[in-house]
Amino acid sequence: MLRRSLHTIVRGALMTGAVGILLAAALPLQLAAQDRMPMRIAVEGAFPPFNYLDANNKLQGFDIDIANALCEVGKFECQFIIEKWDDIIPDLVADKYDAIISSMSMSLERRQKVAFTEKYYNSPSVFIARKDSSISDVSPAALSDKILGVTSSTAQESYANHLYPDMKKTVFRSSPELYKGLADGSVDIILEDKLAIYDWIANTKAGSCCEFKGPDLVDITYFGEGAGIALRLDDKERLTRLNEALKSIKADVTYDMINAKYFPFSIQ
């Protein structure tokens, strides 16, 4: 009886010591988690290969991989939120999330509403038409009798409205719908981000119908200086941390590995 009681006491003491050790070991992890800055990230989820939902309804794409790398390096505790493109800036300003990592071009108009990090990739815009189309000249005069397709609330829509004001336009809600409209003949020509549509043209049966028309369009007023991460104008600390993290993943192999996963050429 005495031995059993003594064993129980010793066992209890050992367990108490073990728990103390485990708690001590867990403490740095808890502190590390507390050090991570929360960040709610908005993405459209309908802009492949940059951001899209796979067959399992899971977010995938270049933007998602870059965001995850920045969250790790920048010590952010991240949560993704899928948002309609038309609402994505207003809801950022309304504090429904903290950042937009969704291939947003840094146009002058957008810079008046939100702050941007340094660019994380660059891409021109371009016209695309079906291969059987007679279109070769993409000037406003040459396209005056054609129907142009653009995606709602994009830099391409703004560019078309200002530089092709007399052209009839069809505005689609998402890029996949825009591409379908071109393939099925609902529109004669579309204006889109070149990298966004590259995979559709190069690697899908539906996209084999179509080809680039005219030169690459690079206009800072409408397309900005590449794609950046958007934040609220007063979010200085998060902006600094994101820029530092972006610089870090570009300095090592992280960015290049993500780049190579989606494109056979550099998009920096």
Side-chain angles (χ1 to χ4, degrees), residues 3 5 30 32 64 66 79 85 94 111 141 152 165 249 261 266:
R3 285 184 62 188
S5 298
Q30 293 172 354
I64 310 307
I66 289 292
Q79 172 192 358
W85 188 254
R111 285 187 182 277
S152 174
I249 68 169
K261 179 179 175 181
S266 175

Side-chain angles (χ1 to χ4, degrees), residues 89-259:
I89 286 182
D91 283 354
L92 171 67
V93 175
D95 199 22
K96 293 185 178 180
Y97 34 79
D98 305 302
I100 300 170
I101 306 182
S102 196
S103 291
M104 180 169 283
S105 59
M106 300 182 288
S107 67
L108 295 178
E109 180 182 359
R110 286 173 178 154
R111 285 187 182 277
Q112 295 174 7
K113 302 173 183 177
V114 296
F116 281 105
T117 62
E118 298 296 321
K119 71 177 180 181
Y120 66 97
Y121 81 84
N122 200 13
S123 177
S125 290
V126 67
F127 285 102
I128 306 99
R130 292 183 298 279
K131 290 178 180 177
D132 60 6
S133 170
S134 61
I135 295 174
S136 57
D137 183 354
V138 294
S139 66
L143 295 179
S144 60
D145 62 341
K146 305 298 182 185
I147 302 174
L148 172 66
V150 291
T151 305
S152 174
S153 302
T154 60
Q156 289 77 25
E157 182 188 16
S158 181
Y159 181 90
N161 286 339
H162 286 87
L163 277 77
Y164 292 74
D166 300 324
M167 194 174 182
K168 185 177 180 181
K169 302 174 187 71
T170 299
V171 180
F172 295 87
R173 291 179 299 177
S174 68
S175 291
E177 292 179 11
L178 175 69
Y179 305 165
K180 184 178 182 297
L182 176 63
D184 66 20
S186 299
V187 294
D188 300 306
I189 191 168
I190 65 173
L191 180 60
E192 174 64 309
D193 180 278
K194 190 173 185 177
L195 287 180
I197 202 169
Y198 167 81
D199 183 67
W200 183 74
I201 288 179
N203 300 317
T204 70
K205 183 177 179 180
S208 65
C209 67
C210 304
E211 62 186 3
F212 298 130
K213 296 288 186 178
D216 290 349
L217 303 175
V218 181
D219 189 318
I220 292 176
T221 301
Y222 298 99
F223 306 125
E225 299 172 286
I229 299 167
L231 305 109
R232 286 182 293 279
L233 290 170
D234 60 353
D235 199 351
K236 306 297 184 184
E237 182 181 356
R238 194 173 276 110
L239 178 65
T240 299
R241 286 177 68 156
L242 278 169
N243 274 329
E244 289 174 352
L246 186 58
K247 183 178 179 180
S248 178
I249 68 169
K250 285 186 174 184
D252 63 24
V253 299
T254 306
Y255 185 98
D256 291 339
M257 288 178 66
I258 296 171
N259 189 142

